[in-house]
């Protein structure tokens, strides 16, 4: 849609110039078979001067040129764009883990602003914004026809101010409004919890702090669980994680793999292909893993998921991921501005591209919609505690003389944990499903080193190298989306 609007605008300008009988030679050069790049730049300069001198209102030269550059980049794909001084500063702030806004990652689809994912514990998430929502209006003003940067600008405002956004959501008959108060967004990149004997690692984004925080939080959680021997496994929760830095996705994947390819990238030239391999060392120490994904899991999240899935290191549970299989490089072009340019496609260890396809879970588990409060009350069963429902409740039942008091306490504790997981299904069905899988695997003494090796990784061309991307540019896998 953005490319179509740009072509229309250029066509109108060309028609106006032709009417003045001044652009005939330039049009002939443009349509000629041997038109050179310099002739095309002359065309651009001619149009630029016409806009400056003849447009109905005076235009800002800097803004006009930046808009032209952004139009050129956004016509390539949805993730390439120009970063003005303000946008470039915002991007650098976001990768450091703190910024002001609503707390959503957005992209553009068919001229509409689409929510890739809400960020945990932010105003947008608390207001009920969901991955896949379309934002059609801001404070009653339509976003139709605006490019992504213009739409994002409409959503900006002082911290503490209110904004009303209109949401179009699949399954809802009519659009509806949400009022959100802007706030300073401080990203908690990794949160951990213990469910039963499973360690849940919730990773919300991939920024400069992700891997170091993951390592620290894992160590704390393992200690809290009573040591690695007490842990049944790990749940890596990547739901609604919109991605981030490529090198962080590689490091997180490497944290759970001992060997083999993690990801490869292939650019325009074969010699620019790269491949990253895992180094010895598994933070989970061979314990089973489940990765949770959904439609808000994009980009760097898909790199991690694809690597662990291809190596059969983890069972992937949830719903299909977003399907962004390209890598963007942020290139500084002036001291205070940059371009975000799609420079490569990435491939999982088995050689598959998930571009526009997403990653299919090994087990599809939908997250049920929450029930209205009145339905919850109606479905709650009356207590059966006053009725006998086991041998132990019968009057005069024999004692179990084969179990010590200590063993009985252990059995009761296990029962409490099972009941807690059952209760978790009401709060987060997908997570409860993942915890149940780990408990089942622990019952049969599963270990990662007992799983056969995955399919042999595809060769990505000569010149592939292990390690991070070359210096001088910053690979940002989630480029093209914007956090607000």
């Amino acid at each position: 849609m953005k490319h179509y609007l740009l072509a229309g605008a250029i066509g109108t300008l060309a028609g106006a110039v032709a009417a003045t009988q001044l652009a005939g030679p330039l049009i002939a050069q443009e349509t000629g078979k041997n038109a050179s790049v310099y002739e095309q730049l002359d065309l651009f300069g001619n149009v630029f001067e016409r806009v400056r001198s003849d447009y109905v209102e005076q235009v800002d030269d800097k803004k006009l040129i930046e808009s032209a550059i952004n139009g050129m980049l956004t016509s390539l794909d949805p993730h390439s764009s120009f970063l003005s001084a303000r946008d470039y500063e915002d991007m650098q702030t976001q990768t450091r883990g703190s910024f002001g806004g609503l707390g959503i990652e957005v992209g553009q689809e068919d001229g509409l602003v689409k929510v890739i994912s809400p960020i945990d514990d932010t105003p947008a998430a608390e207001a009920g914004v969901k991955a896949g929502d379309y934002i059609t209006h801001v404070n009653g003003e339509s976003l139709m026809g605006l490019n992504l940067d213009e739409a994002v600008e409409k959503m900006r405002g002082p911290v503490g101010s209110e904004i009303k956004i209109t949401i179009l959501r699949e399954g809802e008959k009519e659009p509806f409004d949400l009022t959100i108060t802007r706030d300073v967004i401080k990203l908690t990149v990794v949160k951990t919890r213990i469910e039963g004997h499973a360690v849940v690692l919730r990773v919300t984004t991939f920024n400069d702090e992700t891997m170091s925080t993951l390592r620290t939080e894992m160590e704390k959680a393992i200690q809290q669980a009573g040591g690695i021997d007490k842990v049944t496994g790990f749940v890596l929760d990547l739901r609604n994680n919109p991605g981030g830095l490529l090198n962080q996705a590689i490091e997180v994947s490497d944290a759970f793999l001992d060997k083999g390819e993690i990801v490869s990238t292939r650019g325009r030239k074969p010699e620019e292909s790269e491949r990253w391999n895992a180094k010895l060392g598994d933070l989970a120490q061979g314990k089973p893993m489940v990765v949770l994904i959904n439609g808000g899991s994009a980009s760097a999240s898909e790199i991690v998921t694809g690597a662990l899935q291809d190596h059969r290191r983890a069972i992937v549970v949830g719903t299909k991921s977003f399907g962004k299989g390209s890598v963007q490089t942020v290139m500084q072009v002036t001291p205070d501005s940059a371009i975000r340019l799609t420079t490569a496609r990435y491939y999982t260890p088995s050689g598959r591209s998930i571009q526009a396809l997403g990653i299919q879970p090994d087990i599809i588990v939908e997250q049920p919609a929450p029930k209205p409060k009145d339905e919850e009350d109606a479905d709650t069963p009356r207590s059966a505690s006053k009725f006998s429902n086991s041998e132990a409740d019968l009057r005069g039942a024999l004692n179990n003389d084969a179990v010590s008091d200590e063993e009985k306490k252990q059995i009761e504790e296990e029962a409490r944990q099972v009941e807690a997981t059952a209760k978790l299904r009401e709060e987060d069905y997908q997570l409860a499903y993942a915890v149940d899988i780990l408990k089942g695997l622990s019952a049969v003494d599963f270990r990662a080193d007992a799983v056969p090796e995955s399919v042999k990784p595809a060769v990505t061309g000569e010149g592939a190298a292990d390690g991070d991307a070359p210096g001088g540019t910053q690979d940002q896998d989630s480029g093209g989306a914007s956090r607000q």
Side-chain angles (χ1 to χ4, degrees):
M1 176 59 74
K2 290 184 285 183
H3 177 63
Y4 173 78
L5 290 174
L6 180 62
I10 292 175
T12 302
L13 283 172
V17 174
T20 64
Q21 298 184 348
L22 293 175
L26 286 178
I27 293 175
Q29 291 167 357
E30 179 186 8
T31 56
K33 294 181 180 179
N34 299 318
S36 69
V37 172
Y38 295 106
E39 289 170 336
Q40 298 302 311
L41 290 175
D42 285 341
L43 173 61
F44 172 80
N46 186 289
V47 173
F48 176 72
E49 287 301 327
R50 286 293 175 181
V51 172
R52 289 184 70 199
S53 61
D54 297 339
Y55 186 62
V56 66
E57 296 177 354
Q58 187 172 355
V59 294
D60 181 275
D61 290 352
K62 183 174 183 289
K63 184 177 180 181
L64 190 61
I65 291 174
E66 288 183 354
S67 297
I69 295 170
N70 196 51
M72 173 175 60
L73 292 168
T74 55
S75 71
L76 300 173
D77 66 74
H79 307 296
S80 296
S81 63
F82 176 74
L83 299 174
S84 65
R86 178 175 178 178
D87 294 334
Y88 188 37
E89 183 180 2
D90 285 349
M91 188 216 71
Q92 292 172 308
T93 302
Q94 290 170 20
T95 60
R96 289 193 296 266
S98 177
F99 59 97
L102 306 179
I104 51 175
E105 186 95 11
V106 295
Q108 195 159 38
E109 183 177 289
D110 298 329
L112 296 174
V113 176
K114 184 176 183 179
V115 177
I116 296 176
S117 68
I119 300 170
D120 287 357
D121 304 322
T122 62
E126 292 171 2
V129 177
K130 295 183 178 181
D133 285 348
Y134 291 92
I135 301 175
T136 62
H137 294 72
V138 171
N139 292 327
E141 184 178 349
S142 174
L143 301 183
M144 180 62 72
L146 300 182
N147 64 38
L148 184 60
D149 291 336
E150 291 169 335
V152 165
E153 188 65 32
K154 296 287 185 185
M155 289 185 272
R156 283 181 168 141
V159 171
S161 61
E162 284 192 347
I163 179 176
K164 182 176 73 174
I165 60 175
T166 303
I167 297 291
L168 185 64
R169 178 177 295 167
E170 185 178 358
E172 297 287 342
K173 293 181 179 180
E174 299 290 338
F176 58 92
D177 294 333
L178 291 176
T179 300
I180 305 174
T181 302
R182 299 179 179 95
D183 200 355
V184 174
I185 309 302
K186 295 181 179 179
L187 296 179
T188 304
V189 293
V190 180
K191 295 186 290 187
T192 58
R193 59 195 281 192
I194 307 294
E195 291 292 345
H197 290 294
V199 174
V200 180
L201 307 167
R202 168 70 181 141
V203 180
T204 60
T205 190
F206 289 88
N207 65 17
D208 289 333
E209 303 173 356
T210 301
M211 185 58 228
S212 59
T213 307
L214 178 67
R215 186 184 302 274
T216 301
E217 292 299 316
M218 271 191 72
E219 291 173 354
K220 290 179 182 177
I222 291 171
Q223 185 177 5
Q224 181 184 347
I228 192 65
D229 291 338
K230 299 289 187 181
V231 175
T232 57
F234 295 85
V235 178
L236 183 60
D237 187 355
L238 299 179
R239 290 173 298 176
N240 293 328
N241 182 321
L245 300 177
L246 174 61
N247 71 315
Q248 291 292 303
I250 292 168
E251 289 187 28
V252 170
S253 302
D254 193 6
F256 303 108
L257 295 171
D258 275 325
K259 59 182 178 180
E261 183 177 306
I262 294 172
V263 68
S264 64
T265 60
R266 304 177 205 173
R268 184 174 177 177
K269 302 174 184 176
E271 62 270 19
E272 294 176 350
S273 298
E274 293 189 86
R275 181 174 65 245
W276 288 266
N277 291 332
K279 298 181 287 291
L280 188 65
D282 177 4
L283 289 184
Q285 300 182 44
K287 291 287 185 175
M289 292 185 65
V290 172
V291 177
L292 281 176
I293 61 171
N294 64 5
S297 306
S299 189
S301 298
E302 294 172 297
I303 289 176
V304 175
T305 305
L308 299 182
Q309 186 181 52
D310 280 4
H311 283 287
R312 302 181 188 177
R313 178 63 186 90
I315 298 171
V316 180
V317 172
T319 55
K320 187 177 75 170
S321 64
F322 185 76
K324 180 181 174 295
S326 61
V327 179
Q328 282 64 48
T329 302
V330 177
M331 305 173 181
Q332 192 169 355
V333 292
T334 71
D336 61 354
S337 66
I339 62 171
R340 182 194 284 117
L341 189 66
T342 300
T343 53
R345 291 180 173 88
Y346 72 75
Y347 298 82
T348 69
S350 63
R352 59 178 169 151
S353 169
I354 54 87
Q355 174 62 27
L357 294 177
I359 291 180
Q360 286 286 356
D362 299 309
I363 305 173
I364 296 176
V365 179
E366 299 279 353
Q367 187 81 301
K371 290 182 179 181
K373 185 64 180 175
D374 53 349
E375 288 187 24
E376 289 180 6
D377 295 340
D379 291 344
T380 302
R382 287 178 293 179
S383 173
S385 59
K386 50 179 77 172
F387 302 101
S388 296
N389 57 7
S390 73
E391 173 72 15
D393 295 321
L394 298 178
R395 182 181 300 173
L398 294 174
N399 291 326
N400 189 320
D401 61 357
V403 179
S404 66
D405 289 342
E406 188 65 30
E407 289 171 330
K408 186 176 181 181
K409 288 180 181 178
Q410 185 176 350
I411 291 171
E412 290 173 347
E413 175 60 26
E414 289 290 340
R416 278 193 293 269
Q417 290 179 1
V418 171
E419 290 171 2
T421 303
K423 188 175 181 181
L424 179 63
R425 294 190 189 108
E426 301 173 9
E427 172 193 336
D428 189 338
Y429 184 81
Q430 290 174 324
L431 179 57
Y433 199 104
V435 172
D436 283 340
I437 287 175
L438 293 178
K439 185 172 179 61
L441 292 174
S442 69
V444 294
D445 196 23
F446 171 91
R447 285 191 63 83
D449 53 18
V451 177
E453 288 189 12
S454 64
V455 63
K456 185 178 180 181
V459 177
T460 59
E462 294 184 8
D466 299 338
D468 290 339
T473 60
Q474 181 183 17
D475 281 340
Q476 187 176 15
D477 184 66
S478 64
S482 179
R483 286 193 179 123
Q484 287 305 306

